[in-house]
Amino acid sequence: MMKYEMSEPIGEDFTKKSNGYYISKKSLIVIVTVFVLLLVGVAVLFYFIPRPSNENEVVYPSVVPPPSDDPEDDIECPPMPDIPVEEPTESDPFNGRLSEDIKPKNYKVWLQIYLDIEDGSKRYSYDGNVSIVMHVYATTNTIKIHVRDLNLYHENTHLTDSLQNDVEISNLYEDEVNQFYVIETATPLAAGEDYIFHANFDAPLTVNLHGIYRSFYGTPPNEVDLVASQCQSVAARTIFPCFDEPGFKATFDMIIVHRDKRRALSNMPVIKETTLEDDWIETTFDTSLVMSTYLVAVVVSDFPYLELIDGDLTLRVWAQPDYIAAANYSLHIGLKMLRFFEEHYGIPYPISKLDMVAIPHFFAGAMENWGLVQYRESTMLYDPEVHTPSRKERVAIVVSHEIAHKWFGNLVSVVWWEHIWLNEGFASFLTYIGVDHVEPDWKFWNSFHVLDMASAYTADSRSSSARPLILPVGWISEINSLFDAIAYSKGAAICRHFRAFLDPTVIHNGLKDYLQTYQYGNAVSDDLWTILTKADEGFKGTDVKMVMDSYTLMAGHPIVTVNRTDTNTVIIKQTYFLIDRNDYYQEQYPNNGYIWHVPLTYTDSSNPDFLQPKEDWLYRDPIVINLVGLSDQDWVLFNIDKWGFYRVNYDDDNWQKLANQFNINHTVITDQSRASTIDDAFKAAEPFHTDIVNALRLTEYLDKEFEYVVWETVLTNLDYTHRMLLRTAEFYLFEVYWSQKVRPLYESLGWDFSLGGHLDYFQRINAIETACTYGTEDCVTQALEQYWFWMSTGVNDIRDEVRPTVYCTAIRHGGLDEWEFAHAQATNDTLETTETDRLKSAMGCTEKSWLLQRYLQDENFATSTVIDNIRGKSAVGYSLAWEYTMNNFGQFGFSYDTVWEFKDYMNTQYDLDQLNLFGARNSNMSSDAAKGFYDAVQRVETNRDWMNKNKDSMKDWLLQVAEISTTGTTEGAMTDVPRPNTPSKQLINEGARHFRWEMGWTPGA
């Protein structure tokens, strides 16, 4: 037990003796009286607190968590943090939208770029001028145009009518709050007429990665400068004055003046290059399509390119000279994807060229600008001799996403940012279709479950991150906050959700009609609902808006509970799903009582049909469905392949029947439905909708499962149970069980990465990591052998992808020599940061307390980093890390976050008491720290409740299923492995080739 020295004052009623404190008779009477009154008060409180009739019924508070009846809450903890005031402070509510009275028709933009030493004081800046043709729709004498961070020459600003006559300007000023350049005219501008705004300006070329900015490649003194741009969401206004809202589309005529050692790129093809004096080139581009300002793009560089010419289309990829060969993969899949989407939607790509450029410094993963897509180097460049298949997959994903934007985002843009999911959700969804087309062997469509769907559910199941998909915004910080997992991943899941109630033909025809109707224009979500409703006429006649409003205008998603009341009858109801039972609704968002229109799809074991399942609807009231022809042994399964965006929970009996089916013949149920059923069971168990044993029973068949999507789902869900059991006696049984379940998968794949296809690569990494983590004997032996070979020869032939696993396994099952070797390598200044971080993490895997103590006191490493590295690796690591943090807080520059990060492993009342005691001792912490404290307390309360509910049942289940041999060791578990005198390089290289992760460069820096 840890001891804390309390520095309490000694008052007059306490007398200090040689062996303690003695209390006076008077004080004793007072204390006893107060104690009795407190007991009576607590008893009364407990009497009047209502108790739920069903322990599995989850009831969420509506606004804030209820007062706790836990006596530990009487500790003087920090005050609850204030709710932060959202931006803005300058003006509330937001009134910075553009007027519909005036809209742009055409921009003529001229920019001269200064990047070189011969440019003198102008180096790293640019000059510019713009002429904007505007149409007046309603008589006005005020023009508002967006500007930010531009040095405008007010004396040159002027306004003319369509006949080039000057229009008198009575006033010019900048509204810095709303980022407007305001022009007031002496006489009103006439409705129905065109006017032209002219302005000159200059600005610095910063390195802040937005607007037009400076990037570079190479190292000093041989850096090579270039210019790139990023205008989304509202940075076009930092390049030139403009109407910087997505709904204000216009055409653009771009002219860029640059040194002749570089080339200029923009959205459209070059129509003229004019040589000027002093090595300058003026590059003129064709008039653009009608487009939003956020799609304007400029690159000025000396990059080489590769190209493909296909009919009237020229596709080029550009990168710095040393990396251009790695752009070949993007070049070829980019063309295939572009042609595929053209055919898929029946709308040709409308520009004769597409440039894709790998930028050394780029904030986003990529940007879909018309005609000029810019990427991080890590998302466009793939060299099969250098990079892993995971890098190849990442490149394919990002290229597909950006190509899909040509239709969803560029061709049809949103009116305002609150509908940005129409861009990002569809592009994310179509990513899978594009990748599937160019890499059919990957079965990439199945990966939707473990990529965007998993991300969507994670973000949407906590009040801290859930929000309506359509959310009104105004200020820049609000706009940028919409580019999150809700817009991208939930948006993609919502696109998939259509399949739960609309025929694929209806969806496809509706989306084609949507693109045709709004091409080169703007749309809102209701426009899509209207067209899909029309497309479904004559089929199911669905009111799509009625259905989809519940998924787009409210935060969160439902969990549907299916209770079998008799052989042929089920009762179905819904409730808001939150992963943390102590979490609560965010009432800042509008809701309809958190009731969704849920499209039910289902099948059963009497006639399992996953292609044309039965359908029904669930709305406000629980519904009863009669199932025909079922026996008592038959199961039912809802939400086929998880098309619908909702979770499903069952009664205990149906969970058991599904587990039985998995054990008898799991292939009766599709791999996507197996994965989603397991995922729903684990997630439903966290907030007590069901018992964790129902989820664990579904894993009993896994020694017969070889599908990647299922194993990836299981391992993702296993993390929470692993952490909860880590410090318990039952963890040994847990290790035994998972060692047994993963062994067939591990043995089928081995360590030979040259074998198998794309999914086998990821499955092999999972199998090795899981088998070694849970002590499968052959995996531990292989890891030790590879590590020992490195130790004895100095040659690290361990494959990059499994190095974290090998390092950790060797140190956990090794001794002092293995640990000290990692220490020597981690303090070697010649290793890359990635490698030293792996070694430092692995050093925390030892379970020898004296080595961990030595690690904590090692001055070579930041103590907070060491704590991070040992906290979650073992029970002894957790205990030592916590004790060291408590005893030394304030001495090593620990932040409060170092303490809060223990929360994911804390799950007992004692843990909660210790956390509350720490809070009481530091009650003067800042408001931000206090927020972290109360978040941590909530997490620990949740973990404690989960353990109290599930620990005993998990132990009983593990005793039944974990096969313990008569010798007391696990079947296939790790025993002592003798260290060989000479490690076998043949063993090490069996399936492992020398592998370099990057080409000595850091992508996307």
Side-chain angles (χ1 to χ4, degrees):
M1 178 178 289
M2 291 182 283
K3 296 182 180 179
Y4 293 87
E5 295 181 1
M6 306 295 290
S7 59
E8 296 292 341
I10 300 174
E12 61 178 4
D13 291 328
F14 292 85
T15 305
K16 180 85 164 60
K17 301 293 184 182
S18 60
N19 59 345
Y21 295 99
Y22 291 85
I23 192 165
S24 69
K25 182 177 179 180
K26 175 183 175 183
S27 295
L28 180 61
I29 293 171
V30 173
I31 290 171
V32 169
T33 302
V34 171
F35 181 74
V36 170
L37 289 173
L38 283 172
L39 284 179
V40 172
V42 170
V44 171
L45 178 64
F46 268 82
Y47 179 83
F48 286 104
I49 291 177
R51 292 286 184 267
S53 58
N54 184 346
E55 67 171 353
N56 288 339
E57 183 70 18
V58 182
V59 180
Y60 297 112
S62 61
V63 182
V64 296
S68 173
D69 55 11
D70 195 322
E72 272 68 28
D73 282 2
D74 291 334
I75 292 175
E76 188 68 24
C77 287
M80 287 291 286
D82 295 331
I83 299 173
V85 178
E86 293 292 330
E87 183 188 11
T89 56
E90 299 92 339
S91 176
D92 191 9
F94 177 76
N95 59 2
R97 290 291 300 273
L98 290 169
S99 167
E100 297 281 337
D101 294 348
I102 300 176
K103 289 188 175 182
K105 294 174 65 176
N106 174 263
Y107 294 82
K108 287 183 170 52
V109 181
W110 179 95
L111 303 174
Q112 182 161 7
I113 309 296
Y114 303 104
L115 283 175
D116 300 292
I117 194 168
E118 53 264 41
D119 296 324
S121 62
K122 280 185 169 290
R123 190 182 188 191
Y124 300 143
S125 69
Y126 68 95
D127 293 331
N129 64 64
V130 64
S131 297
I132 309 175
V133 179
M134 307 169 295
H135 186 76
V136 177
Y137 289 87
T139 301
T140 181
N141 67 344
T142 302
I143 304 171
K144 293 182 178 180
I145 300 176
H146 285 112
V147 295
R148 189 175 89 203
D149 301 332
L150 295 177
N151 178 29
L152 287 159
Y153 304 160
H154 298 294
E155 65 276 13
N156 297 121
T157 300
H158 62 286
L159 191 66
T160 59
D161 62 19
S162 58
L163 300 176
Q164 300 300 313
N165 299 311
D166 285 336
V167 176
E168 183 181 353
I169 296 174
S170 61
N171 193 17
L172 277 177
Y173 64 94
E174 292 188 40
D175 174 358
E176 294 184 357
V177 172
N178 295 302
Q179 300 180 358
F180 282 142
Y181 192 33
V182 183
I183 305 98
E184 295 177 348
T185 59
T187 57
L189 304 177
E193 296 295 325
D194 288 346
Y195 295 85
I196 306 168
F197 166 82
H198 307 270
N200 292 359
F201 52 89
D202 62 50
L205 285 171
T206 66
V207 290
N208 58 14
L209 307 187
H210 74 263
I212 187 170
Y213 66 92
R214 180 175 69 91
S215 181
F216 58 87
Y217 65 91
T219 56
N222 299 313
E223 288 181 353
V224 180
D225 290 315
L226 62 130
V227 160
S229 64
Q230 170 63 29
C231 290
Q232 196 179 49
S233 57
V234 290
R237 66 189 67 175
T238 69
I239 304 178
F240 54 90
C242 58
F243 294 81
D244 202 10
E245 290 187 11
F248 284 67
K249 287 188 169 184
T251 60
F252 294 79
D253 289 292
M254 302 292 295
I255 298 175
I256 301 174
V257 180
H258 54 92
R259 296 286 183 182
D260 61 6
K261 58 186 171 184
R262 300 182 185 87
R263 297 186 66 170
L265 303 175
S266 189
N267 303 90
M268 300 302 290
V270 174
I271 58 173
K272 184 173 63 173
E273 289 184 333
T274 304
T275 301
L276 307 178
E277 295 180 353
D278 299 325
D279 302 324
W280 290 98
I281 296 286
E282 183 179 76
T283 301
T284 304
F285 298 89
D286 201 357
T287 301
S288 77
L289 306 170
V290 175
M291 65 183 193
S292 303
T293 50
Y294 77 85
L295 293 172
V296 171
V298 173
V299 171
V300 180
S301 76
D302 68 347
F303 285 174
Y305 65 85
L306 304 174
E307 74 175 7
L308 285 176
I309 299 175
D310 184 44
D312 59 353
L313 175 68
T314 299
L315 196 155
R316 290 175 174 173
V317 288
W318 306 70
Q320 55 176 292
D322 288 346
Y323 304 156
I324 187 60
N328 193 55
Y329 180 66
S330 295
L331 175 66
H332 285 83
I333 65 169
L335 180 60
K336 290 179 181 178
M337 290 170 174
L338 192 72
R339 292 310 193 196
F340 168 75
F341 283 119
E342 284 183 321
E343 182 177 352
H344 189 66
Y345 288 115
I347 300 176
Y349 174 72
I351 306 175
S352 62
K353 69 96 176 181
L354 174 60
D355 292 305
M356 303 200 303
V357 188
I359 305 296
H361 306 88
F362 201 70
F363 178 76
M367 183 60 208
E368 64 268 17
N369 318 296
W370 269 130
L372 177 53
V373 182
Q374 296 176 81
Y375 297 82
R376 290 185 183 180
E377 290 178 328
S378 61
T379 61
M380 195 186 107
L381 304 179
Y382 165 72
D383 184 343
E385 296 301 317
V386 176
H387 298 126
T388 65
S390 61
R391 170 70 167 253
K392 183 178 184 181
E393 180 178 287
R394 178 61 180 159
V395 168
I397 288 171
V398 177
V399 172
S400 184
H401 183 100
E402 304 312 316
I403 296 296
H405 266 311
K406 301 300 171 281
W407 288 265
F408 290 89
N410 296 13
L411 186 69
V412 180
S413 309
V414 295
V415 171
W416 182 243
W417 300 108
E418 62 191 332
H419 297 280
I420 192 59
W421 81 271
L422 287 172
N423 290 12
E424 302 303 344
F426 271 100
S428 297
F429 176 75
L430 293 171
T431 291
Y432 296 85
I433 299 175
V435 174
D436 238 9
H437 175 71
V438 299
E439 300 287 1
D441 295 339
W442 291 6
K443 298 172 66 175
F444 195 65
W445 179 247
N446 285 3
S447 294
F448 191 92
H449 282 270
V450 295
L451 295 177
D452 275 299
M453 184 175 288
S455 173
Y457 279 120
T458 298
D460 208 39
S461 62
R462 294 191 184 278
S463 63
S464 59
S465 51
R467 65 165 178 84
L469 203 56
I470 301 170
L471 183 65
V473 293
W475 299 96
I476 293 176
S477 62
E478 294 174 335
I479 293 169
N480 290 337
S481 73
L482 296 186
F483 290 82
D484 59 2
I486 297 297
Y488 286 75
S489 296
K490 184 178 179 179
I494 289 303
C495 296
R496 180 184 168 94
H497 180 80
F498 297 147
R499 179 66 180 83
F501 62 94
L502 295 175
D503 186 85
T505 302
V506 170
I507 300 170
H508 184 65
N509 290 340
L511 293 180
K512 287 177 67 175
D513 189 16
Y514 168 77
L515 294 173
Q516 289 281 358
T517 301
Y518 293 101
Q519 61 181 321
Y520 303 110
N522 301 81
V524 298
S525 301
D526 279 355
D527 296 326
L528 177 60
W529 307 153
T530 298
I531 284 181
L532 286 174
T533 297
K534 180 182 176 182
D536 200 38
E537 292 175 358
F539 290 85
K540 299 177 183 178
T542 311
D543 183 342
V544 176
K545 175 176 169 57
M546 181 184 69
V547 176
M548 296 308 300
D549 276 356
S550 61
Y551 288 89
T552 57
L553 300 181
M554 294 193 299
H557 57 274
I559 182 168
V560 170
T561 298
V562 179
N563 278 306
R564 193 103 164 258
T565 56
D566 59 44
T567 302
N568 294 302
T569 306
V570 293
I571 295 179
I572 304 173
K573 62 180 181 179
Q574 63 167 295
T575 189
Y576 190 124
F577 181 79
L578 290 167
I579 195 68
D580 186 339
R581 70 190 300 266
N582 291 318
D583 203 352
Y584 50 92
Y585 301 142
Q586 289 283 15
E587 289 203 345
Q588 70 189 85
Y589 300 130
N591 64 79
N592 185 31
Y594 290 110
I595 300 296
W596 287 262
H597 287 271
V598 183
L600 301 174
T601 57
Y602 61 98
T603 190
D604 58 68
S605 53
S606 68
N607 182 27
D609 189 344
F610 291 83
L611 295 177
Q612 294 182 321
K614 302 178 183 71
E615 297 179 356
D616 213 322
W617 285 96
L618 171 66
Y619 186 45
R620 287 194 176 277
D621 299 322
I623 65 168
V624 176
I625 294 180
N626 295 315
L627 306 169
V628 179
L630 268 64
S631 71
D632 289 339
Q633 304 305 312
D634 287 324
W635 47 262
V636 294
L637 190 145
F638 279 71
N639 201 6
I640 301 304
D641 291 347
K642 214 170 193 121
W643 288 109
F645 192 67
Y646 58 93
R647 293 200 177 278
V648 181
N649 179 38
Y650 303 96
D651 57 79
D652 291 345
D653 186 54
N654 198 70
W655 280 123
Q656 181 64 67
K657 289 171 181 174
L658 288 167
N660 293 341
Q661 180 65 68
F662 283 13
N663 275 307
I664 295 167
N665 181 6
H666 60 279
T667 61
V668 168
I669 298 172
T670 64
D671 53 356
Q672 294 184 68
S673 284
R674 294 198 302 276
S676 61
T677 300
I678 292 170
D679 185 49
D680 281 348
F682 274 99
K683 293 303 192 300
E686 283 199 44
F688 294 10
H689 290 286
T690 191
D691 293 329
I692 187 60
V693 171
N694 285 330
L696 290 169
R697 286 195 187 110
L698 294 171
T699 70
E700 292 177 16
Y701 86 102
L702 282 175
D703 49 1
K704 297 172 283 191
E705 178 66 80
F706 297 93
E707 286 292 337
Y708 168 74
V709 66
V710 178
W711 267 105
E712 179 68 16
T713 300
V714 169
L715 296 177
T716 301
N717 279 287
L718 197 59
D719 179 64
Y720 183 72
T721 310
H722 177 109
R723 284 187 279 112
M724 293 301 95
L725 291 178
L726 181 65
R727 296 186 291 140
T728 69
E730 290 72 34
F731 190 69
Y732 170 71
L733 296 172
F734 192 71
E735 287 183 304
V736 171
Y737 177 76
W738 285 104
S739 175
Q740 293 160 355
K741 290 303 166 188
V742 78
R743 191 185 319 115
L745 179 68
Y746 166 78
E747 291 175 347
S748 73
L749 294 166
W751 293 70
D752 191 343
F753 279 83
S754 68
L755 300 177
H758 183 76
L759 286 180
D760 289 327
Y761 166 83
F762 294 99
Q763 189 81 299
R764 184 173 286 108
I765 293 173
N766 280 346
I768 291 171
E769 180 181 1
T770 307
C772 283
T773 296
Y774 294 113
T776 302
E777 184 173 5
D778 182 74
C779 191
V780 175
T781 302
Q782 287 269 7
L784 282 165
E785 288 277 0
Q786 294 186 39
Y787 193 82
W788 289 336
F789 182 85
W790 182 24
M791 289 174 63
S792 64
T793 66
V795 177
N796 189 350
D797 270 347
I798 303 168
R799 195 174 165 105
D800 188 89
E801 301 93 320
V802 296
R803 283 185 180 183
T805 298
V806 170
Y807 296 170
C808 182
T809 303
I811 289 172
R812 177 181 292 120
H813 293 274
L816 177 61
D817 290 346
E818 287 76 13
W819 192 89
E820 286 193 326
F821 179 76
H823 183 280
Q825 295 296 318
T827 53
N828 183 346
D829 293 338
T830 64
L831 290 182
E832 293 182 358
T833 302
T834 300
E835 188 69 2
T836 57
D837 287 346
R838 289 170 176 169
L839 288 160
K840 287 186 286 188
S841 176
M843 287 165 64
C845 294
T846 181
E847 296 182 7
K848 294 175 172 56
S849 60
W850 55 277
L851 276 177
L852 291 173
Q853 290 280 18
R854 175 179 161 185
Y855 193 16
L856 281 164
Q857 298 170 31
D858 196 315
E859 295 182 356
N860 289 292
F861 310 110
T863 307
S864 59
T865 301
V866 176
I867 289 169
D868 290 341
N869 287 335
I870 72 174
R871 179 194 298 116
K873 301 288 177 39
S874 65
V876 65
Y878 171 89
S879 298
L880 290 173
W882 176 258
E883 183 175 8
Y884 195 86
T885 302
M886 292 298 98
N887 289 344
N888 296 279
F889 188 81
Q891 297 183 38
F892 294 103
F894 291 147
S895 69
Y896 284 106
D897 287 342
T898 301
V899 179
W900 311 154
E901 286 166 4
F902 280 88
K903 69 182 184 296
D904 290 334
Y905 302 91
M906 304 175 85
N907 56 17
T908 66
Q909 184 60 46
Y910 176 78
D911 292 337
L912 183 59
D913 292 345
Q914 295 301 302
L915 184 61
N916 277 323
L917 183 58
F918 175 84
R921 293 179 132 211
N922 295 274
S923 60
N924 62 342
M925 67 181 71
S926 69
S927 180
D928 285 343
K931 182 180 184 303
F933 169 74
Y934 282 102
D935 287 345
V937 167
Q938 178 180 311
R939 180 75 255 173
V940 178
E941 289 174 342
T942 298
N943 294 343
R944 176 203 59 190
D945 295 346
W946 190 91
M947 284 293 286
N948 290 343
K949 174 177 172 57
N950 293 303
K951 183 181 177 183
D952 290 343
S953 61
M954 279 193 294
K955 178 180 179 180
D956 293 341
W957 174 78
L958 284 167
L959 285 169
Q960 294 173 17
V961 297
E963 300 171 10
I964 309 296
S965 73
T966 57
T967 63
T969 61
T970 67
E971 180 186 343
M974 185 59 206
T975 56
D976 290 338
V977 178
R979 182 180 300 139
N981 293 328
T982 304
S984 166
K985 187 165 184 177
Q986 180 180 0
L987 174 65
I988 297 166
N989 278 336
E990 182 181 352
R993 58 181 171 84
H994 181 64
F995 187 83
R996 294 178 296 122
W997 169 244
E998 299 289 356
M999 298 182 288
W1001 47 280
T1002 303

